[in-house]
Amino acid sequence: MTGRLARAAAGPHDGYRSRFHGRIVDVHTHFSVGARDAAVAAVRAAGLGGLVNLVGAWPPQPFEEWRAGWSGDRTVAGMVLFHAPDLSGIGSPGFERDLAADVQHAFELGARGLKIWKQLGLWLTDAHGDRVAVDDERLAPMWECAARHRRPAGIHIADPEPFFQPVAPDNPRYTELLERPDWSFAGEEFPSLETLHDEFERLVSAHPATDFVALHGGCFIPFDRLHRMMRRYPNLWLETSARVLDLAQEPAAARTLLCDFADRVLFGSDYARMAGWLDQPLPGEYPDLTRAFYARNLAFYETGLDGIGNPFPFQSEATIRGLDLPDDVLEKLYFRNAQRLLDLPAT
Ligand SMILES: [Zn+2]
C-alpha cells in the first residue's frame, strides 16, 4: 500500500509544518519487535515528541520480547510500550489467574498500558467454542489489575460501519474491502456493530476504576452515542487514529466531541511499521512519506484548510477539511492528556 500512498502523496498540504509549538505524542503506533530504530526514525521525520508502541504481533508475544527489542537509543524521550495480553485461552482452567499474572508482570516490567485487539467480541471464542463478549466477566481480573496499577486499557472494538454491511459496489468502503476481504464482518457469524457497542458500554460501566481508551476515534461508535458515553463515564477516553475520514465528514460533531471532552482525548495516527501489515511509509526509507502522513494528520486538527489528503488514502482519496481546533485543545490532545494518563516525562 506504500505505492498507493506515494501516488496520493502529492496533496497541496503534504508539506504542512505544525503551527503547534509544544510537544506532540502519537499514542497509537505499531512497530514490530526490534524496530526501535524505525520508531526513532519516524519520530524524527515527523517531529514527534514521543510515541506509544501498541505492539502488534498476533498471536501476542510475551512482554519481555517486546521490551528487549525496544531498548537502545535513548535520545527520544517518551517512547513507551503497551502490552497485548493473549486472551486465546479463555474458558480453560487457570486462565483468569494466568491472565492477571501476565498483565501484572508486564506492568512491573514497564508496560504503560494494555492493548486489546478487535478479536474480542468479533471472533475470539472460549474453550467451548462460544463467542466471547466484550464485557465477558472472565476478563475482569485483567481490568482490575490495570486499575490497581493505574494503567489504561487501549481497546479496539468493532470496525467502521461499512465493514458490517455487504461488500457491494454501493458500500462506501467497497474497494478497500475488495482488497482486504478479511476486514468484512457482514455475515451472520458476526455480532452486529450495535451489539459490540452495547457490550463495550456495559464493560466501561462495570469497571469504573479502569481507564478505557476507545481506540480509533471511539471504536467507531456513532458520535452522538459517543458524546453521551463520554459524558456519562469519566473512565472513558477517546483516541483519534484512523477515523479522520469520519471526523471530517461530521465536522461539527467531531469538533464538539474533541472540545467538550478535551481532558480525555488523545492524538493517535495508527502509523505502522509491521512486515506484511498495513504498510504505511517506511521511516528511514521513505522519510518524505512519513512526513506527509503526519502533515495530513496535523493539518487536519490544527487548520481550517481545505484539500487535505486523507492520511489513509486506501480508505478514500477524497480530500478533507481541517477542524481548526483551538490551541488549548491541541495541547491536551497532543500531549497533556497522554502525559497524565501514561506518566510521561514532562519535558
Ligand atoms: Zn492500530
Side-chain angles (χ1 to χ4, degrees), residues 121-305:
L122 274 172
W123 68 87
L124 179 70
T125 52
D126 68 9
H128 310 290
D130 295 324
R131 182 182 78 89
V132 178
V134 175
D135 60 332
D136 192 300
E137 267 305 294
R138 291 171 291 186
L139 300 178
M142 172 170 72
W143 312 127
E144 285 159 14
C145 184
R148 272 199 310 282
H149 287 260
R150 304 177 64 84
R151 294 289 182 226
I155 183 163
H156 173 177
I157 294 305
D159 252 347
E161 193 175 3
F163 291 11
F164 291 80
Q165 296 163 350
V167 182
D170 62 346
N171 187 312
R173 304 278 284 264
Y174 183 54
T175 49
E176 187 182 353
L177 288 166
L178 283 184
E179 219 163 288
R180 293 298 302 259
D182 55 316
W183 287 357
S184 172
F185 304 112
E188 289 277 297
E189 64 273 37
F190 296 109
S192 70
L193 183 59
E194 198 178 3
T195 297
L196 291 166
H197 289 159
D198 289 347
E199 292 174 356
F200 178 56
E201 180 163 0
R202 285 199 295 272
L203 172 70
V204 174
S205 170
H207 296 280
T210 306
D211 285 314
F212 290 96
V213 180
L215 304 174
H216 300 307
C219 294
F220 310 97
I221 297 169
F223 292 133
D224 52 350
R225 179 172 189 173
L226 192 54
H227 196 281
R228 179 183 63 70
M229 286 175 64
M230 289 291 286
R231 202 168 52 233
R232 188 159 177 181
Y233 307 107
N235 58 324
L236 180 60
W237 297 62
L238 170 64
E239 178 273 330
T240 58
S241 73
R243 212 183 176 191
V244 164
L245 189 61
D246 287 1
L247 293 165
Q249 281 167 349
E250 296 184 59
R255 211 168 184 283
T256 303
L257 196 58
L258 294 173
C259 292
D260 284 1
F261 305 103
D263 289 324
R264 280 182 283 136
V265 293
L266 301 159
F267 165 66
S269 76
D270 213 4
Y271 186 98
R273 179 68 170 93
M274 304 284 300
W277 226 50
L278 264 187
D279 297 324
Q280 282 142 59
L282 312 182
E285 294 166 55
Y286 300 94
D288 291 348
L289 294 185
T290 303
R291 270 194 288 276
F293 173 80
Y294 279 99
R296 291 174 180 203
N297 276 284
L298 302 183
F300 174 67
Y301 297 108
E302 296 174 12
T303 79
L305 293 169

Side-chain angles (χ1 to χ4, degrees), residues 79-115:
M79 287 187 25
V80 300
L81 286 169
F82 272 30
H83 171 52
D86 186 351
L87 309 181
S88 60
I90 188 166
S92 54
F95 168 79
E96 291 164 63
R97 185 196 59 226
D98 293 348
L99 176 64
D102 171 61
V103 167
Q104 166 137 353
H105 184 57
F107 289 145
E108 285 166 0
L109 289 176
R112 297 298 175 98
L114 301 176
K115 165 69 160 90

